[in-house]
Amino acid sequence: MRLKRQKTYKRYMSVYQHSFGFREPYQIIVDGNFIKVAQNARLDYKSMLQETVVGKTRIMTTNCVLNELRTLGEDFMGAALAAKRLEKRRCTHGGNPVNAADCIKEIIGDSNQFNYCVATQDLQLRDYLRRIPGIPLIYINRSVMILEPPSPATENKVKEIEYNKTIPTNYESTIIKNNTKQPEEAPKSKKRKGPKQPNPLSCKKKKVNPQQQQQQQQQQQNKKKKEEESENNEDAEVEKPKKRRRRRTKKKNYDTKNNEDNKEDFNNKTNEE
């Protein structure tokens, strides 16, 4: 299946999921004509149904469909054997089988309560089922399985369901009535009395005396000079060289004097001896 077709079929099935409560595995009722056309085209209709519906499936048929295939002769014996292997949906006809189309109509009813999909080649049956909202219809066209878009009846039902979601329920409406209070009126703003102020954009700028302007410029220049001088002084204080430490020479002189005195004492002692 092509990707574009698969996306459209997925969109169609999402309508049935959200609005009518369809869930996987999807229940698909198959009639004898559909099985016969699939066998003539040599199609694996079980796997193709899963691709068209984009999900898991439960394929089923009825005893009325099986009896109809047996009565049609040897040409439909292969279709009858294939239908015999499928899951059987109970119908009320029992020992008095009816036409397959009438049996499917009776199972679906007026509202498709049990969320069935229908795979059939019968044009009259499909026309009848399009009038009932919420029934996905499948058929084969030239060895291609096609899922019909939602019918006008289903689209109208979807709009009705979406509109009903917006209407409050009886419980919600009672709560709204009890809690509704008349909104308090906002206090009216008092109008300001007296003359209005002029628009500043429409006013002319004040004239400046040239002498005052020169004085202001001189003051600004003086401020800048003072700031520059203070910065220069700070830089000069930071850049002063550090004082070198003086070496201690007193101890050495003292030590030399003691050595000299010791030598003289020693010499004096030797001379006395």
Side-chain angles (χ1 to χ4, degrees):
M1 184 186 289
R2 292 181 181 177
L3 183 64
K4 189 175 180 181
R5 189 180 294 164
Q6 190 176 8
K7 285 181 179 178
T8 54
Y9 290 167
K10 192 173 183 179
R11 192 172 68 249
Y12 293 160
M13 292 307 296
S14 67
V15 173
Y16 296 110
Q17 284 178 354
H18 296 300
S19 299
F20 299 98
F22 279 68
R23 294 289 178 270
E24 292 186 24
Y26 300 112
Q27 302 179 94
I28 302 173
I29 297 173
V30 177
D31 69 346
N33 294 325
F34 185 85
I35 295 168
K36 179 63 178 173
V37 171
Q39 284 183 347
N40 291 336
R42 295 179 181 179
L43 300 175
D44 185 8
Y45 64 93
K46 292 181 181 179
S47 62
M48 289 180 75
L49 282 169
Q50 288 184 355
E51 290 177 358
T52 54
V53 173
V54 194
K56 296 178 182 179
T57 57
R58 280 179 63 193
I59 302 168
M60 55 184 69
T61 187
T62 62
N63 289 320
C64 295
V65 172
L66 209 151
N67 288 321
E68 187 181 40
L69 289 170
R70 285 173 180 169
T71 55
L72 290 171
E74 293 181 356
D75 294 335
F76 288 84
M77 286 302 293
L81 290 171
K84 192 176 180 180
R85 298 190 192 104
L86 297 175
E87 183 182 346
K88 301 295 184 298
R89 170 67 171 80
R90 288 182 184 178
C91 59
T92 57
H93 305 113
N96 298 318
V98 295
N99 189 13
D102 296 332
C103 183
I104 291 168
K105 288 177 185 177
E106 189 175 342
I107 288 167
I108 286 170
D110 296 332
S111 60
N112 193 13
Q113 184 180 357
F114 299 103
N115 297 331
Y116 290 115
C117 306
V118 179
T120 181
Q121 297 295 117
D122 193 350
L123 293 173
Q124 293 179 355
L125 180 60
R126 272 190 278 160
D127 288 333
Y128 173 80
L129 295 175
R130 284 192 199 103
R131 298 168 194 166
I132 300 167
I135 302 174
L137 297 173
I138 302 164
Y139 65 96
I140 296 169
N141 185 15
R142 294 180 184 179
S143 72
V144 178
M145 200 169 287
I146 294 169
L147 174 66
E148 287 189 1
S151 62
T154 58
E155 289 179 353
N156 293 328
K157 186 69 176 176
V158 169
K159 289 178 182 178
E160 185 180 347
I161 290 165
E162 294 295 327
Y163 176 73
N164 289 330
K165 287 179 182 178
T166 59
I167 297 169
T169 60
N170 294 325
Y171 176 70
E172 290 174 348
S173 60
T174 53
I175 292 168
I176 291 165
K177 287 178 182 178
N178 293 327
N179 292 331
T180 52
K181 294 180 180 179
Q182 291 182 355
E184 296 179 356
E185 294 182 355
K188 293 180 180 180
S189 59
K190 294 181 180 180
K191 291 183 178 180
R192 188 176 178 182
K193 295 180 180 180
K196 293 182 180 178
Q197 294 180 354
N199 188 2
L201 298 173
S202 64
C203 297
K204 291 183 179 180
K205 292 182 179 179
K206 293 181 180 180
K207 291 182 180 180
V208 181
N209 292 328
Q211 293 179 355
Q212 291 179 355
Q213 195 171 3
Q214 287 178 359
Q215 288 177 359
Q216 288 177 358
Q217 288 177 358
Q218 286 179 358
Q219 287 177 359
Q220 289 177 359
Q221 289 176 0
N222 292 328
K223 282 182 181 180
K224 287 182 181 179
K225 286 180 181 179
K226 287 180 181 180
E227 288 176 356
E228 289 176 356
E229 288 176 356
S230 62
E231 288 177 357
N232 292 326
N233 292 327
E234 287 176 358
D235 295 333
E237 287 177 358
V238 171
E239 292 177 357
K240 281 183 180 180
K242 293 180 179 180
K243 291 181 180 180
R244 292 182 181 179
R245 291 182 180 178
R246 292 181 183 178
R247 293 181 181 179
R248 293 181 182 178
T249 56
K250 289 182 180 180
K251 285 185 179 181
K252 289 184 179 180
N253 294 328
Y254 180 74
D255 292 334
T256 52
K257 285 181 182 180
N258 289 330
N259 290 327
E260 288 176 357
D261 293 335
N262 290 326
K263 284 181 182 181
E264 287 178 358
D265 292 335
F266 181 76
N267 292 322
N268 293 323
K269 286 180 181 180
T270 51
N271 292 323
E272 287 177 357
E273 290 176 356

